Each structure stands twice: as structure tokens, then as C-alpha cells.
Amino acid sequence: MKSLALVVVVLSAAGGWVVFAQDAATDDVTKVLQKQTQALMDAVSSGDARVWDRYLDPAVLYLNEDGVRKNKADVLKGIVPLPKGISGSIMVSALDVRLHGDTAIATHNDLETENYFGHRINAEYRTTDTWMRTPQGWKLVASQVHAQQIDPTAIRLAPAKLDEYVGVYRLNDEITYTIRRQGDGLSGVRSGRQPQTLSIEAADVMFVAGQPRSRKIFLRLGDGRISGFVDRREGREIPWTKVRQ
């Protein structure tokens, strides 16, 4: 694909003229990569590995949403038709391309709609791709996929149950976290910070809306009393000890 340059001349604040060169081919590259990326997503749904074989560079480095590194053979092996009872589609949106010579960095959202044995499931992914222009066209040389996390569904607990969590929790001599009941809900505040509303995912499991990577998991003694909680972020925990009601 021929690269074209668009020259833009603007007046600077100092009164002089400044010349910027813009790559007019970027729009064309965006259209090509939009089409190829959507074709890759369609091939996931249909299980057509030939599309991925066509667009993947032989030395591609692919990191899927669970962090597993894959080479081309690994990726192709995973492109198979969906099992009976499962169907779906993936729509590529918000594709944004930055062109650097024969290299293009593309970010996009992948919106998945799945019919899972009669149940509708929606998922969203954020992907960053690196493409290189070759004599055979644009080839994908690297890709990293992140699953977009969302807040879980919150439940309600009886006031008496909520009262069990009320108290002051200690991280160290300087830092505490105080939980109070606010009507039919709970709020928490870490020393020196703003209060936050605590949502309840399940008994003894809480989260803050907009922070789906973290949970507060409450711990109990043998007699059922709460002894503290752990801040759990993606499997890693920081313990807090309950020091008073």
C-alpha cells in the first residue's frame, strides 16, 4: 500500500508558520485493519482457523485474556467450531490505529454476545494489536487481550446481619478502616480517605462499585464472630484485624 503524506501548515502562537506532516494513509490502514480484525473475530465464532493462518505472522506473540502466551501453532489449534448448544458473535468497535512506518499499533474493543445453552452471556475485551506491513499484506505480529471486568450483582442482607460487620479494622498502627451501617447498607472509610459505599456480593464478601478487581473477604472465629477481613485483589490478600465494634 502506497504511503501518502498530507502537509498541514498552521500559525504558531509566536506568529510563525509551523509545518506538520500527517500520514494520509492512516485512514486507509484503519479500514484494512478493521476489516481484517473483524474477520478474525468472525472466524472465532465459526471456528475457521484458515483466517487466522492468513493474517498471523509466523513469529506472532499472542497473549490471551487469561495471560497465557501463545505462538501461531497454539493459536491455530484453539480456533475450532463451538460445541453444540453454544453460539455467538464478536463485534469489533472503537478501533484506533497509530501508524509508524510499516508498523501499526491498533487498539479496539471486542463485544461478545453468546448463547450458552439458551442463556445469553455478554462479555467485553480490550485488545492491543501490533501489525506489520509485508509484501503479502498486513500481518499480526503481536496481540494482548484483556477481559473487561465488571461489578457483580449486589444483594441485600438483613440489618442485624449488617451490624456484624460494623467496627474498626486495623492494618497497622497508622492505618484503620471503619465500617458503619447507613440505613439498609454499609459504608467504609480508610483513615485519611473519603468514605465509600460497600456493596455485598455474598455473605462475608463485599466490593466497591467501579472497582471489580478487589473484594473484601470477612473472616470469622469459631463462634461466628468476625475477626477481620482480607483485601483480596486478583488472588493476593492484605489482612486487616478487627479491633473494636
Side-chain angles (χ1 to χ4, degrees), residues 52-215:
W52 285 77
D53 189 29
R54 182 186 316 144
Y55 291 134
L56 291 186
D57 184 83
V60 66
L61 176 60
Y62 190 93
L63 277 72
N64 65 9
E65 61 270 20
D66 57 8
V68 176
R69 293 181 177 87
K70 295 185 176 184
N71 59 27
K72 184 171 183 176
D74 296 329
V75 174
L76 296 181
K77 187 165 55 177
I79 306 299
V80 296
L82 296 173
K84 183 179 179 181
I86 302 177
S87 61
S89 62
I90 304 174
M91 182 181 71
V92 177
S93 69
L95 184 123
D96 190 14
V97 175
R98 296 291 183 270
L99 195 58
H100 304 273
D102 288 332
T103 301
I105 309 299
T107 62
H108 49 92
N109 302 339
D110 307 317
L111 311 178
E112 181 180 24
T113 302
E114 184 176 331
N115 185 318
Y116 186 79
F117 299 100
H119 298 272
R120 180 186 174 96
I121 300 176
N122 294 320
E124 186 171 343
Y125 304 91
R126 301 282 192 271
T127 302
T128 301
D129 293 329
T130 302
W131 296 83
M132 290 192 67
R133 192 188 337 242
T134 74
Q136 294 75 39
W138 286 95
K139 299 293 183 179
L140 187 64
V141 297
S143 182
Q144 184 166 16
V145 184
H146 292 279
Q148 177 70 3
Q149 300 184 57
I150 62 173
D151 292 334
T153 301
I155 66 170
R156 292 185 177 276
L157 295 178
K161 190 70 174 177
L162 295 176
D163 288 338
E164 296 179 11
Y165 303 102
V166 171
V168 178
Y169 299 78
R170 176 184 176 277
L171 178 64
N172 58 30
D173 290 340
E174 291 80 32
I175 302 174
T176 59
Y177 191 85
T178 303
I179 296 180
R180 299 182 176 90
R181 183 152 74 86
Q182 305 286 343
D184 58 356
L186 294 172
S187 69
V189 59
R190 178 170 166 167
S191 49
R193 298 188 181 181
Q194 294 297 311
Q196 38 184 213
T197 299
L198 295 175
S199 298
I200 301 168
E201 183 175 0
D204 296 345
V205 181
M206 299 185 191
F207 66 97
V208 175
Q211 300 178 15
R213 297 171 63 191
S214 300
R215 297 289 189 277

